[in-house]
Amino acid sequence: RPTFLLLYLNELTFGVSGHGNVEIEMVIESCITNPKISLILVHEQDSLKGGCEFGDFFKVTPQKLIDEPYSLYRDIAIPLFSMKEYRDVSLKL
């Protein structure tokens, strides 16, 4: 049975200025290293819901998760748009 972790990326995912929660970092690490878990990245686009530029994540994500062997951003994040019609499509990808 497939297992997934949906990682919702917005300005609060890793805390303010990268001073985030160590627990989320540990969960992400364990999911990446577990071949039975697929990681799906969803990038919030709506600024009212904490959306930010994708490049901002490289400033706040712990470097350990960006670098090998974790390479968190190796796969493309699914953009989550604010318009209902687009958001519905994003959620079905």
Side-chain angles (χ1 to χ4, degrees):
R1 184 172 173 188
T3 304
F4 299 91
L5 170 69
L6 186 137
L7 183 59
Y8 177 72
L9 298 169
N10 74 358
E11 65 185 0
L12 302 175
T13 302
F14 293 104
V16 179
S17 301
H19 296 94
N21 189 330
V22 174
E23 291 173 343
I24 190 149
E25 184 177 344
M26 289 173 37
V27 168
I28 293 169
E29 286 176 27
S30 65
C31 289
I32 289 173
T33 58
N34 185 333
K36 294 182 180 183
I37 299 175
S38 297
L39 186 64
I40 299 172
L41 304 176
V42 179
H43 175 209
E44 180 62 68
Q45 302 292 307
D46 188 336
S47 60
L48 297 175
K49 295 178 180 158
C52 59
E53 294 293 322
F54 192 80
D56 293 347
F57 295 119
F58 290 91
K59 299 173 191 169
V60 296
T61 303
Q63 193 63 43
K64 177 180 179 180
L65 294 177
I66 295 172
D67 296 338
E68 292 286 339
Y70 300 110
S71 302
L72 176 61
Y73 300 120
R74 178 182 318 153
D75 295 328
I76 296 174
I78 298 168
L80 191 56
F81 295 101
S82 55
M83 285 183 58
K84 181 184 178 341
E85 295 82 8
Y86 294 148
R87 196 168 191 89
D88 289 347
V89 170
S90 295
L91 291 172
K92 292 178 182 177
L93 292 175

